[in-house]
C-alpha cells in the first residue's frame, strides 16, 4: 500500500545511499587485506541468502545466513545476518516501531563480526554496518551506543549527509538541542557538497522519521525547511492515505461511503502515531470506534486491530488502565493474536501488575507456538524489554522460557 511505502521512505532512502560501496574504500580493502577463503558450503548458503534478500524474502535470508555463520563463522556471514535482521526489523520505517527482537539480533550479529575483526577489513563499506547498528541500538533505547555507531558510520562515509541528520535527530531525543543544531548544519553542508541538498530537505520536510527536527524552529530554519515545503509534503501524504483506503476523487456535495469515512479517521490516526503524536492518535482511534458503532463498516478483525492500536497509543502516553481495557477488548474479538497478548503484558507490567503480565507473556508464547520464528521473536523480546524487568524476576517466567526453549533452538 502507498501509506506503507510512504512510512518506509526514510529507511529506503538511507538504504539506497548506503548500499553502494565507495570505489576508494573497495580498492583500499583489496590492497591491504586478503579476504578469508570461504568454505564452499558457506559460500553457497550466503549466495542463496543474498538472492532471497534481493527478492524481499527476509526470513529465508536470515535462515540461510545463520546457517552460513554456523558452517563457517566470518565477518561477511555475520554482517549479512545482521543486515537481514535490520531490514526485517525496520520494515515500518520508524525507529520507535522497529521490531525489537530483530534489532537485538542485528546488534548481536554485528558484535560477532566486530569481535572477529574490529577493523572490518573484509567489508568494503563499514558505514553500512555502523549506520544500521546505530538505528538498531536507538530502537532498543541504547542512545549513547547508537550515537557512537552514527559517529563511526560518518567517519567511514563522511560525505553521507543523512547519517549526520539522523545524529541530529538522536541528539534532540537525548535533550541536546545545541548539538542537534550543529549536526543538522553539518548534514546540510555535506548535502550541498554532494549535490543532494534537495533530497535532504525533502526528507527533512516530509519523512516521519524527522518529525522532531521539523518541530524545532532553529533546526527547521537551519535546514531551510519552510512551511510551504512541509505543507506540500503533508498534502502528498494525505493523498497517499486517501488512495490507500480507496477514497478517490469526489464532488464536494457527494456523500462519502460510511466505510471510507471510518477508514479515513483511522488513516489520520495512524499518521499521528507515525509522528509520535500518541494522544492525538488515541483520540482518533476512539473517534473511529464511535463512528463504526453507527456504521458497522469494519470487520471483526479490523475492529480488533483498531482496539489494539488504541491500547498501544494509550500505553505510549502512560494511560495504563485504558490501555489494558482496550487490549482486552481486542482480545475478545481476536483471542489468538500473539502481538496483542504481548502488548497486554507490557501494559500490565507498566501498571505494576506483574503476575498478570507474566500470564500474558505465557499466552503470547502459546499463541505464537505454531510459528517457530514468531515464538523465538517473542521469547527474545521478553528477555530484553525493559518494561518486563520485574516479570523476569518471577520464577514462572524462567519456566515459561524453558518450556519454549526446545521449540526455538536453532538446528
Amino acid at each position: 500500500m502507498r501509506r506503507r511505502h510512504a512510512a518506509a521512505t526514510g529507511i529506503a532512502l538511507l538504504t539506497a545511499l548506503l548500499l553502494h560501496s565507495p570505489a576508494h574504500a573497495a580498492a583500499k580493502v583489496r590492497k591491504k587485506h586478503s579476504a578469508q577463503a570461504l568454505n564452499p558450503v558457506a559460500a553457497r548458503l550466503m549466495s542463496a541468502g543474498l538472492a532471497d534478500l534481493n527478492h524481499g524474502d527476509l526470513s529465508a535470508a536470515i535462515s540461510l545466513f545463520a546457517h552460513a555463520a554456523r558452517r563457517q563463522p566470518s565477518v561477511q556471514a555475520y554482517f549479512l545476518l545482521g543486515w537481514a535482521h535490520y531490514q526485517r526489523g525496520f520494515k515500518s520505517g520508524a525507529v520507535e516501531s522497529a521490531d525489537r527482537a530483530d534489532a537485538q539480533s542485528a546488534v548481536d550479529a554485528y558484535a560477532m563480526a566486530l569481535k572477529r575483526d574490529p577493523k572490518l577489513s573484509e567489508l568494503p563499506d563499514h558505514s553500512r554496518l555502523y549506520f544500521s547498528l546505530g538505528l538498531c541500538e536507538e530502537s532498543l533505547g541504547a542512545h549513547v551506543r547508537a550515537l557512537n555507531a552514527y559517529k563511526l558510520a560518518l567517519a567511514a562515509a563522511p560525505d553521507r549527509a543523512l547519517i549526520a541528520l539522523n545524529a541530529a535527530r538522536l541528539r534532540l531525543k537525548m535533550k541536546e538541542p545545541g548539538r542537534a543544531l550543529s549536526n543538522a548544519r553539518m548534514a546540510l553542508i555535506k548535502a550541498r557538497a554532494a549535490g543532494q541538498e534537495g533530497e535532504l530537505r525533502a526528507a527533512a520536510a516530509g519523512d516521519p522519521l524527522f518529525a522532531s527536527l521539523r518541530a524545532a524552529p532553529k533546526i527547521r530554519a537551519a535546514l531551510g525547511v519552510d512551511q510551504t515545503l512541509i505543507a506540500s509534503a503533508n498534502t502528498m501524504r494525505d493523498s497517499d492515505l486517501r488512495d490507500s483506503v480507496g477514497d478517490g476523487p469526489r464532488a464536494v456535495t457527494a456523500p462519502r461511503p460510511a466505510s471510507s469515512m471510518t477508514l479515513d479517521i483511522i488513516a489520520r490516526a495512524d499518521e499521528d502515531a507515525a509522528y509520535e503524536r500518541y494522544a492525538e492518535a488515541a483520540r482518533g482511534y476512539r473517534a473511529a470506534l464511535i463512528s463504526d458503532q453507527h456504521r458497522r463498516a469494519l470487520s471483526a478483525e479490523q475492529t480488533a486491530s483498531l482496539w489494539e492500536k488504541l491500547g498501544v497509543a494509550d500505553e505510549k502516553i502512560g494511560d495504563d488502565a485504558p490501555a489494558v481495557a482496550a487490549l482486552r477488548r481486542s482480545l475478545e474479538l481476536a483471542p489468538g493474536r500473539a502481538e496483542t497478548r504481548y502488548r497486554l503484558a507490557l501494559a500490565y507490567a507498566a501498571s505494576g501488575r506483574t503476575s498478570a503480565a507474566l500470564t500474558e507473556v505465557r499466552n503470547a508464547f502459546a499463541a505464537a507456538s505454531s510459528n517457530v520464528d514468531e515464538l523465538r521473536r517473542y521469547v527474545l523480546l521478553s528477555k530484553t524489554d525493559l518494561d518486563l524487568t520485574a516479570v523476569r524476576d518471577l520464577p514462572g517466567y524462567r519456566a515459561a522460557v524453558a518450556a519454549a526453549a526446545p521449540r526455538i533452538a536453532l538446528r
Side-chain angles (χ1 to χ4, degrees):
M1 292 174 67
R2 291 189 183 182
R3 184 182 180 280
R4 181 176 296 176
H5 174 76
T9 299
I11 297 299
L13 180 57
L14 293 168
T15 300
L17 292 176
L18 289 171
L19 277 177
H20 299 286
S21 303
H24 71 275
K28 187 176 180 182
V29 170
R30 286 192 296 268
K31 182 177 180 181
K32 288 192 173 184
H33 183 80
S34 297
Q36 175 185 0
L38 287 178
N39 175 288
V41 176
R44 285 197 298 272
L45 288 167
M46 282 192 280
S47 178
L50 281 168
D52 285 332
L53 192 67
N54 290 332
H55 286 93
D57 193 346
L58 299 173
S59 296
I62 287 168
S63 177
L64 288 165
F65 293 146
H67 277 81
R70 288 196 298 272
R71 185 78 180 189
Q72 182 188 24
S74 68
V75 171
Q76 300 101 312
Y78 282 121
F79 166 71
L80 290 172
L81 178 59
W83 182 260
H85 273 294
Y86 155 69
Q87 291 285 329
R88 189 173 72 176
F90 279 76
K91 279 185 177 180
S92 70
V95 173
E96 286 70 22
S97 60
D99 184 285
R100 286 165 291 182
D102 273 317
Q104 185 62 60
S105 294
V107 170
D108 293 343
Y110 289 158
M112 292 299 294
L114 287 163
K115 182 178 180 181
R116 293 194 65 81
D117 179 11
K119 295 183 179 181
L120 299 175
S121 304
E122 295 173 15
L123 298 184
D125 183 6
H126 305 172
S127 68
R128 292 175 62 189
L129 184 150
Y130 286 125
F131 180 77
S132 54
L133 174 60
L135 286 170
C136 291
E137 293 281 24
E138 186 180 348
S139 74
L140 296 168
H143 293 165
V144 174
R145 289 201 297 270
L147 187 61
N148 185 58
Y150 290 148
K151 289 178 179 178
L152 291 168
L154 199 56
D159 59 332
R160 285 170 178 163
L162 280 173
I163 298 175
L165 195 64
N166 273 272
R169 178 183 55 73
L170 179 55
R171 289 283 195 187
L172 206 58
K173 187 184 290 187
M174 296 169 70
K175 312 299 184 186
E176 298 178 1
R179 291 184 175 181
L181 178 59
S182 176
N183 283 150
R185 287 171 174 160
M186 180 199 303
L188 187 59
I189 292 170
K190 291 179 180 297
R192 284 174 179 162
Q196 296 178 339
E197 185 175 353
E199 289 87 343
L200 183 79
R201 283 183 170 153
D207 199 307
L209 196 64
F210 302 118
S212 60
L213 297 182
R214 289 192 293 278
K218 289 184 179 179
I219 294 178
R220 189 171 64 242
L223 292 172
V225 175
D226 57 23
Q227 292 299 329
T228 301
L229 187 57
I230 294 173
S232 175
N234 286 337
T235 299
M236 184 176 296
R237 281 196 305 276
D238 287 346
S239 174
D240 284 344
L241 288 173
R242 286 193 295 272
D243 289 344
S244 75
V245 296
D247 184 21
R250 57 185 182 279
V252 173
T253 56
R256 295 177 62 191
S259 59
S260 291
M261 293 178 70
T262 303
L263 290 171
D264 189 59
I265 296 171
I266 297 171
R268 293 185 184 279
D270 286 343
E271 185 79 355
D272 283 325
Y275 276 92
E276 302 179 40
R277 299 190 293 256
Y278 295 115
E280 291 88 342
R283 284 195 291 270
Y285 294 138
R286 285 191 172 87
L289 286 164
I290 293 171
S291 172
D292 194 57
Q293 283 181 352
H294 301 289
R295 296 176 175 83
R296 299 296 179 186
L298 301 179
S299 67
E301 183 178 355
Q302 288 174 312
T303 305
S305 177
L306 184 53
W307 278 109
E308 181 182 340
K309 290 179 178 181
L310 174 58
V312 171
D314 280 336
E315 195 243 333
K316 291 288 187 182
I317 59 177
D319 286 349
D320 297 327
V324 167
L327 292 166
R328 290 183 65 177
R329 188 69 179 273
S330 175
L331 286 168
E332 289 174 5
L333 296 169
R337 292 171 67 134
E339 178 65 19
T340 313
R341 294 284 182 188
Y342 187 77
R343 291 285 186 180
L344 182 55
L346 295 179
Y348 275 137
S351 61
R353 300 169 65 180
T354 54
S355 294
L358 175 59
T359 297
E360 290 307 325
V361 167
R362 289 196 192 102
N363 289 338
F365 290 175
S369 61
S370 62
N371 186 318
V372 173
D373 288 337
E374 286 294 295
L375 178 58
R376 182 181 295 115
R377 185 155 61 96
Y378 287 114
V379 171
L380 289 173
L381 275 175
S382 72
K383 288 180 177 181
T384 58
D385 206 309
L386 293 177
D387 290 336
L388 297 180
T389 300
V391 175
R392 287 192 289 272
D393 291 335
L394 300 175
Y397 171 77
R398 291 189 287 274
V401 171
R407 288 271 299 145
I408 65 176
L410 292 174
R411 293 178 173 81

